[in-house]
Amino acid sequence: DKYTSDFLNKINLKYIVLCENLYVSGMGAGGIPNHKMKTIIINTNFDEYILGRIIHHELFHIVNENYKTYFNKNIWTKFNNSKFNYAECSTCTDKLDLSLLNNGDGFITEYSMSTASEDMAEVFSILMVDKQKIQDKALKDPILNKKILFIKKNILKIDENFKFN
């Protein structure tokens, strides 16, 4: 009920597949987007809070794939401390923890430190399930604040009536 059918059409999402015990390349996974099939696959083996984050996270990957010019990774990367570098891929790192960080220097979870697209998806997912918490963190974290504003601004370019949380 957080997304209008108009928004889902604009981002080109057609299917949501719910499953249990999802594995991708031998690793347990919360979800995975399949851009070609216009589908997100969601592992339901999580509590309600994490499940919500997974759904919004994977949905954002569909957004990102269809609106790459709005969610430019090079612009996003420049928000970070100049000494920070993302990994080549999300599975090329051991940064997998989804717990919210207390002082993340621009990052909301350890997993958000893996790649720019995962970082964007993590920020979006927290905006959708716990907007107040991420905004409170952003008051003390100017990098995170820039990332939130970037996500909001560009989602509103897709759908000016979009509501966060």
Side-chain angles (χ1 to χ4, degrees):
D1 65 344
K2 292 187 183 228
Y3 302 103
T4 65
S5 58
D6 185 46
F7 180 76
L8 296 175
N9 286 329
K10 287 177 181 178
I11 66 167
N12 210 16
L13 178 67
K14 301 294 181 205
Y15 306 103
I16 300 173
V17 176
L18 303 176
C19 66
E20 293 179 346
N21 305 317
L22 178 63
Y23 283 82
V24 178
S25 300
M27 293 176 58
I32 187 166
N34 184 323
H35 309 291
K36 289 182 183 177
M37 299 303 293
K38 304 171 187 167
T39 301
I40 58 174
I41 303 165
I42 305 296
N43 183 349
T44 61
N45 288 17
F46 294 93
D47 66 45
E48 186 177 335
Y49 176 76
I50 295 294
L51 182 60
R53 283 188 42 202
I54 291 168
I55 291 167
H56 300 299
H57 178 107
E58 298 308 333
L59 184 133
F60 182 82
H61 285 306
I62 298 293
V63 170
N64 194 1
E65 181 66 22
N66 288 294
Y67 291 91
K68 288 181 182 178
T69 56
Y70 291 171
F71 298 97
N72 184 300
K73 292 177 186 178
N74 293 325
I75 293 170
W76 184 268
T77 299
K78 289 178 183 174
F79 294 141
N80 295 325
N81 181 309
S82 61
K83 294 176 182 145
F84 178 82
N85 291 308
Y86 290 110
E88 290 293 316
C89 66
S90 60
T91 57
C92 301
T93 178
D94 60 355
K95 296 186 183 310
L96 302 172
D97 192 350
L98 298 177
S99 303
L100 297 183
L101 297 172
N102 288 326
N103 181 10
D105 295 323
F107 298 98
I108 194 69
T109 65
E110 182 184 73
Y111 188 55
S112 66
M113 295 179 196
S114 61
T115 67
S117 63
E118 298 300 352
D119 193 7
M120 285 186 241
E122 282 292 273
V123 170
F124 180 78
S125 75
I126 302 298
L127 274 171
M128 294 305 293
V129 300
D130 207 343
K131 181 177 160 187
Q132 192 59 54
K133 186 171 277 186
I134 195 170
Q135 288 180 325
D136 289 347
K137 288 181 176 297
L139 290 173
K140 299 177 223 152
D141 188 333
I143 295 170
L144 181 59
N145 191 54
K146 288 177 190 176
K147 290 178 177 181
I148 291 168
L149 293 174
F150 180 84
I151 293 286
K152 285 181 172 181
K153 176 183 83 173
N154 288 299
I155 289 289
L156 290 171
K157 286 180 185 176
I158 298 167
D159 184 346
E160 64 186 22
N161 297 313
F162 189 87
K163 303 286 184 231
F164 289 90
N165 201 345

